[in-house]
Amino acid sequence: MAVTSIVVVVAGASVGDFWDVIFKVPSHRNLVNITNQSALIFLAALAAAIGFRMNLFNIGIEGQYTLAAYTAALVAGQAWFPGKVNILVALLVAMAVGAAWAGIAGVLKVTRGVSEVISTIMLNAIAGTVVGYLLSNHGQQYGQGRRTTPIPESSQLAGWTPWKESDGAIWTLVILAVLAGVTISFLINRTRFGFDLRATGTNEDAAVVSGVEVKKMVVISMLISGAIAGLIWMPALFGGADYYGPPFQRTLGFTGIAVALLGRNRPLGIFFGAVLFAWLSEQANPLALVADISPSIVQITQGVVVLAVVVAYEVVRRWTAAYEQRELKAALDREAVSA
Amino acid sequence: TDNKNDKTGSTANADVCKTAKGNGPKVGLAYDVGGRGDQSFNDSAYAGLKKAVGDLKATCVEGEATDGEAESARESRLKDMADAGMNPIIGVGFAYSDAVNAVAPNYPDISFGVIDGFDPDQTANKNVAYLGFAENEGSYLVGVAAALKSKAGHIGFVGGVHNDLIKKFEAGYVAGAKATKPDIKVDVKYIQESDLKGFGDPAGGQEAATAEFDNGADVVYHASGASGSGVFDAAVSAGDGKWAIGVDSDQYLTASDAQKPHILTSMLKRVDVATYDMIKSVADGSPLTSYQTYDLKKDGVGYAKSGGFVDDIASKIDEAATKIKSGEIKVPDKP
Amino acid sequence: MVVRDILKQFPGVVANHDVNITIRPGTVHALIGENGAGKSTLMKILYGVQRPDGGTIEVDGKQVRFSSPTDAIKAGIGMVFQHFMLADNLTVLENVVLGAEKLHGIGDEARAEITRISDAFGFGLDPDELVEDLGVGQRQRVEILKVLYRGAQIIILDEPTAVLVPQEVDALFANLRELRASGRTILFISHKLDEVLAIADDITVMRRGETVGEADPKTATKKQLAELMVGSELPSPETGESTVTDQVLLTLDDVGLVDERGRALLKNISFEIHRGEILGIAGVEGNGQEELVETIMGMRKGTGRITLDGKDIDSWDTRERREAGVAFIPADRHRHGLLLDFPLWENRILGHQTKEPSSNGFLITRKAAKESAEQIVADYDVRTPSINTNARALSGGNQQKFIVGREMSSDPSLLIASHPTRGVDVGAQAAIWDHIKRARREGLAVLLISADLDELIGLSDTIEVILRGEIVGTFDPQTVTPQDLGAAMTGGHSTEEGGAR
Amino acid sequence: MTTTVAAPAPAPDREANHTGSKARTYFLIGLAVLFSLAAVRVITGVHEVDSQGSLRAAIVATCPILLAALGGLWSERSGVVNIGLEGQMLLGTWGGAFFTYYYGPWVGLLGAIGFGVLGGLLHGLATVTFGVDHIVSGVALNLIAVGLTTFLAEAFFADLDSQFGHGGAQQLTGLQKPTVITIPGVSDAATSLADKHWFAISDVAALVAAVTNRISVVTILVFVLVFATGWILWRTRFGLRLRSCGENPEAAESLGINVIRHKYAAVLVSGGLAGLGGGYLALVSSPGFHTNQSNGRGYIGLAAMIFGNWRPGGALIGSGLFGYTDSLRLRDPATIHAMLLFVGFWLLLFAAWRIYKARRTQGIVLGVFGLLFLLWFAVTDEVPRDFTSMTPYVTTLLVLAFASQRLRMPKADGKIYRKGTVD
Ligand SMILES: Nc1ncnc2c1ncn2[C@@H]1O[C@H](COP(=O)(O)OP(=O)(O)OP(=O)(O)O)[C@@H](O)[C@H]1O
Ligand SMILES: Nc1ncnc2c1ncn2[C@@H]1O[C@H](COP(=O)(O)OP(=O)(O)OP(=O)(O)O)[C@@H](O)[C@H]1O
Ligand SMILES: [Mg+2]
Ligand SMILES: [Mg+2]
């Protein structure tokens, strides 16, 4: 907070105005947007977190969801299936494409030893180019840009309007974020697979001894991570975007990575992180309008928050470790005295 | 240099919206990514706004898009302005087309304008004006200039991104050049195929233009946004007698001293004119609606004469302009 | 150098207390003690790696306080650690001159100096070779060279002979004598009494963290020393009568293993273990024990045939082997046995993910796993506040007891125990032995690997000696002495002399 | 004790000094590349493959990536993974522009370095002092740097306008450039020789011409830095200590080396190099600062460094490969088509070598790829434009896929080090 304030002062703007805007109670419209955006960010962060939980740095969320969103929009636009079935098929396609693109990095890692950090960065660039190519050669003319064929009306979801219509609707598929969150949380914490994944993440050697096949785990977690990444833009696609084209929201993948780290890769932590990031982004608008402060300050705040929070985690972790040791010693000493 | 700033509106500090107190129209101006101070599109819109503040006693608020923002953020920006009572509200850039289409029906009493915009659906919006430009016509004129100035019979074009908009520039430029010298050779390069970073990559612009100069071209026209400064530098490095042509605004005025002697002319896209027109129409009580094409006839596009390098050929260029205006020449909009 | 009343506590362990040693200049001073007696801890304190919780150190009559090895190096102390402190991807030269570049630079002068020392002591080291390419013996020599190169006045050697072959030991001792003659002081740690008697001028004995006595090597006998070392409470690892059945459980038939460079790590290993039998593997560390275990566990793929209970398991992965009843107590509990930042009850699951009570195959059964963890804590006397405590917080001995409990409670048919009592206090040691013996009576087959020869002789039904990846002798623990084993382990005896059962 | 039977471990029989033979190998490979490139040029008639202009463009495109790669090298050799290179580079673009405007290009370069160092300091604080995961810190740093440079540009550049440069909220152009030099006689001679299009000779001449004609002093500095990095890290005491921290920090600590201090030094230098890379981008490759100018080059630098096996020479080759393919595409798309022939030829060569080395499957896979490339070359006239912009990424990915297993990263790279954990 202090850092951000300093930056604001350096820029010659009013610190008071800045925090006023940031902490302003959001209007109904803002709340709808924050909810929708939180869902997208949450999915992105969840995708990143699955990899991080086993020390796999899937930096490629960006490319995975871009390619998946394009393909899903393309398939849904063809309307090969009626109404809701069309949605389901598109979701499956999105997951499959995201998984496949992430899987390339996974397979390269286990068979050729290519660091996933590098391969996913390269795959991001390649995904962007491939989508651009397909769009400009096979897309529909759309003003100065190109887009995929819009999805049929019967496959569009109206969403849920808690307030006035003009305040916007909460996308129906925000439910995907909830479902994915619960599923992944359950998968990681309650299942054998999740245990293997967490074990590999904290101590790969011990996991190997315990019978975990790390290579298989790497590929599977990349696939799951990619599948979730594939879902990122789906709430927006079926909630009003209707096609893949210029309004496509980029950089969610990178935001997701930051939020995953902020939330310590735990679904609940990620949830709060996603809401925080969505909130900050939503306030970027009034920031420029009301306080005349550049929206880039939001980015700085987000970065500083991530760094500050991880440093704080580390400090707390050290402190609790020391505390635990003291407690343990005290307990043992008491035992010794009473014996 | 005061004079210079007035023309380009690049001086961000003199924020007219902070000081404007008139009782004219209340303007909401929503910039694209980069916002005021981009020395291009957004600044040009700002120049129009500034003129309106002066001439029409307008007051204003501004908003700015961030990179990778949600569609809802764009809509929110427009709604915030509408709720604050702004009229007209102008979205600067094609990217606002969808947002305006979504927001405008909720505010039937407010006029919206979208620079470079279009109506994405079949339902016509009664309160929206789509302010387009005949970039191909302007490009035709600088094509003529390039062909006339080229000693080598070989010229070049550098586009930022290989999309339909920039292809329109290319088409006009090539047509103008070929019409002037049928056997002229035109090198065409795009910095990026689809990635918008091609508009913000001066290093790429420099590489592409250098390649064309090395290959024998002696005039290079760019339509690559901020990458263009790289094109100018390439002309400087290529040496005397090598020219670059600017785009959107009169780039001679914002170029460095070293670049100035190499900037032959610029294709002007008068976003300021369109912005001012939109505001004025609301002030006059007869808001613009539907598609408005700012072509040569409307003085929406043109070419710049700063530096005086085209003075000797101006008559021939103007001749072409007249023929376009009269319809005698039809400028293609696709390569 | 005088050490007074040193106290060092680790969570749950008092590693050093009431430690008092006086080291005369120009002598070789031996420090002996069982595993876990606190020798290494004391040395790390003397070298400034760890700070004592109490007590004083004097060098040359001046009281010193080392906050880092830098201070100790300045005071003329050099140390060879028990575990290698080498950077694999650097050359011998780079490893040696590191931190002492001022002496001879890092170029040709240093190279010449290293070659000189290496030749003088017959180390045969090439200064430009990557340490990665060296064998253990050579690495040990690099470590010693590092200290010699610095010309330290007081040299601490923490079990330097553990991985050396006898000839190398002799060469080393010759060097040490030379060094002593040149006025240097040497602090030498070992639990090999022969070596100590052969080289030391003074001997200090440590037991359970404290110095319990001194001995004069000219007069002391090995028996006396051993008694001092282990005290009177040493529990006997005697197995009692044999429970070996005639059912073969595990067979290794001509098993071999090569590393990625094509060097043989294991060669022609063949043996059988019956139900109710404990097969001990004796060998100097680094002679293929680890690789043997990993091959049997399925973590490495070797050649030859391994059968478990009559089934060929060569193509099975680690998980399938564990499911078939192979339990494993790893040598390095932190690296291979525990998830340090997970609570104990989740550590209960590790290695048993696929079976009850850990899971039902798909879901983790938390309740059952917790109950089972409680049971282990109670049965194996694991001192912990609760089963929700992170494994990291426990002392080494308690961690080890938990691992033993975990592996035993899964009803294994084969137990692979690698140094099961290393770094564990005497009481816990006895408990662990009891558990192993009980399971053996119930028909468990055990492969026991240990550096503690008494443990091996006491527990095993058969002892195989491994040297450079090959079985070089088979011994009957009823008749063999630690000396015989030691000789075989270091290649001192030919195989025939090793004597069969 | 009986102490006779066992033989001493065999004495090392390896060659004492590899440097001689290594240099020769590199020379031979270089020669092979030259000849094959010349052959491709002559066969296809696409002279842009290695014309003076292409090579100069390639060098200019290579330098920023190379600086980032060197930055990564320093940091990772000390055991700190620096994915924040991108952010440090961005900070460098701003710092370089700002200081050039007020104090001229030389102070500007220092400013670029200084801002990069600030980024490095932040990364060092987080990773070394607070023990935060290196990737986490790097990601956060990149996020902050993007926001900060955008913000600072708006705050400081928007109003600048004078003979020293023209500002804008997102750019600062028209900055004074660092000195450019030409070696008159040599460059002319080489240029005319290169224009003759003789086999091999003209190719060498083109290279000579490219480096003697209008070359920025900073470019020369960059290549000096490659050698300086090699020299400092492998030939000095400081470098030795630094590398030991990346291989085995506990061992280093046990020898009295202040690991923390060396890691800090490495991360700061790393940030400085990346910052200079940003400065290069703003002052040499392009006419000034532009928001988000690094465009992922920091990441590419990291990849180039890994590709180069954590060595300066390797990083040079990796960056060069990337810079070359990236600039070729803008230079002349026909070159990319010509390169298909080149790639096909080398793949077949590798295939033959692998088969000779009894790695049959690998050889066959490579061979099939090689034939496919040749076929692609033969049946098409050009590579689709969109694919040309993927070339650098696909190349990097493919090369890593084929070469990754021979790479060896510093053993303690990315591991969190805490003082006093020797055991
Ligand atoms: N860093 C530490 N944290 C907790 N306990 C420790 C630590 N280091 C040593 N100990 C414990 O202190 C005791 C003494 O260990 P030390 O390493 O000094 O034994 P040692 O005599 O060198 O044994 P060995 O012969 O096996 O090397 C052991 O119980 C050990 O587990
Ligand atoms: N002649 C020597 N013999 C043994 N160790 C030495 C010798 N000279 C220096 N050292 C050790 O090398 C280390 C570095 O010494 P030096 O005095 O050069 O440190 P410095 O320059 O203060 O810091 P840095 O080590 O970071 O360069 C210290 O630990 C010192 O004890
Ligand atoms: Mg409409
Ligand atoms: Mg020890």
Side-chain angles (χ1 to χ4, degrees), chain C residues 98-331:
Chain C
L98 186 60
E101 300 89 346
K102 280 193 181 150
L103 293 173
H104 307 282
I106 62 170
D108 287 340
E109 196 188 325
R111 186 171 288 114
E113 174 69 8
I114 291 171
T115 312
R116 189 187 66 73
I117 300 175
S118 171
D119 289 349
F121 298 121
F123 282 176
L125 287 169
D126 171 6
D128 291 310
E129 193 161 15
L130 280 185
V131 165
E132 171 171 68
D133 297 333
L134 299 181
V136 267
Q138 283 175 303
R139 289 181 190 217
Q140 180 71 51
R141 283 179 231 134
V142 176
E143 287 281 20
I144 297 171
L145 212 153
K146 265 160 69 174
V147 175
L148 296 176
Y149 185 85
R150 282 163 176 72
Q153 286 305 308
I154 303 173
I155 303 173
I156 302 170
L157 301 169
D158 193 350
E159 299 197 25
T161 57
V163 292
L164 298 187
V165 297
Q167 200 177 1
E168 293 169 329
V169 172
D170 278 355
L172 172 70
F173 283 0
N175 301 334
L176 295 187
R177 289 193 189 98
E178 251 173 63
L179 290 168
R180 175 175 59 189
S182 68
R184 294 197 175 82
T185 309
I186 292 153
L187 194 51
F188 175 83
I189 299 179
S190 179
H191 19 221
K192 296 181 185 164
L193 303 178
D194 290 318
E195 292 176 5
V196 168
L197 290 174
I199 185 82
D201 299 307
D202 298 303
I203 300 175
T204 300
V205 183
M206 285 187 80
R207 184 181 352 130
R208 305 193 65 187
E210 60 187 313
T211 42
V212 291
E214 278 163 31
D216 182 350
K218 288 187 208 64
T219 58
T221 63
K222 282 203 279 187
K223 193 166 176 308
Q224 286 169 328
L225 286 180
E227 268 169 18
L228 269 175
M229 255 168 72
V230 293
S232 47
E233 7 127 45
L234 179 69
S236 152
E238 296 300 312
T239 34
E241 80 238 42
S242 167
T243 58
V244 181
T245 63
D246 49 12
Q247 284 171 275
V248 177
L249 187 77
L250 179 78
T251 319
L252 269 69
D253 185 11
D254 195 22
V255 169
L257 183 72
V258 291
D259 68 4
E260 60 272 22
R261 289 201 189 79
R263 288 185 300 208
L265 297 172
L266 296 175
K267 266 187 294 197
N268 317 330
I269 304 247
S270 300
F271 58 71
E272 292 179 345
I273 309 180
H274 300 82
R275 287 186 191 276
E277 179 184 7
I278 299 182
L279 178 84
I281 302 276
V284 174
E285 242 172 276
N287 274 289
Q289 296 95 318
E290 219 176 297
E291 289 78 9
L292 176 63
V293 167
E294 290 178 0
T295 309
I296 299 175
M297 287 297 296
M299 287 144 61
R300 291 180 187 243
K301 292 274 173 273
T303 56
R305 268 164 60 93
I306 303 176
T307 47
L308 180 71
D309 213 2
K311 290 184 280 285
D312 188 340
I313 61 168
D314 288 315
S315 60
W316 294 13
D317 62 25
T318 306
R319 174 149 287 166
E320 287 168 315
R321 294 182 195 204
R322 294 197 77 128
E323 281 172 352
V326 180
F328 180 42
I329 301 172

Side-chain angles (χ1 to χ4, degrees), chain A residues 128-133 135-136, chain B residues 160-163 192-198, chain D residues 386 389:
Chain A
T129 315
V130 168
V131 169
Y133 170 77
L135 208 55
S136 57
Chain B
V161 179
H162 196 196
N163 63 17
Q192 288 293 337
E193 280 307 300
S194 54
D195 194 334
L196 291 180
K197 77 183 180 192
Chain D
D386 290 87
S389 52

Side-chain angles (χ1 to χ4, degrees), chain D residues 39-164:
Chain D
V40 166
R41 180 176 62 77
V42 171
I43 293 169
T44 60
V46 180
H47 296 297
E48 280 294 305
V49 162
D50 62 355
S51 71
Q52 180 189 160
S54 297
L55 292 175
R56 187 180 306 111
I59 290 171
V60 170
T62 298
C63 281
I65 297 170
L66 179 56
L67 283 167
L70 287 181
L73 180 72
W74 272 79
S75 171
E76 301 217 354
R77 277 290 172 185
S78 82
V80 179
V81 172
N82 189 359
I83 202 174
L85 287 170
E86 176 78 7
Q88 289 151 356
M89 213 168 174
L90 263 185
L91 290 172
T93 58
W94 190 88
F98 180 83
F99 286 95
T100 301
Y101 182 87
Y102 289 106
Y103 308 103
W106 295 109
V107 179
L109 288 176
L110 290 180
I113 295 172
F115 264 70
V117 168
L118 281 182
L121 183 66
L122 197 62
H123 192 53
L125 271 176
T127 55
V128 181
T129 302
F130 287 104
V132 169
D133 184 282
H134 301 183
I135 306 262
V136 175
S137 166
V139 168
L141 179 64
N142 289 340
L143 207 60
I144 293 174
V146 172
L148 198 64
T149 46
T150 312
F151 190 78
L152 289 177
E154 283 172 20
F156 289 94
F157 292 166
D159 308 330
L160 298 185
D161 192 14
S162 72
Q163 75 204 74
F164 301 114

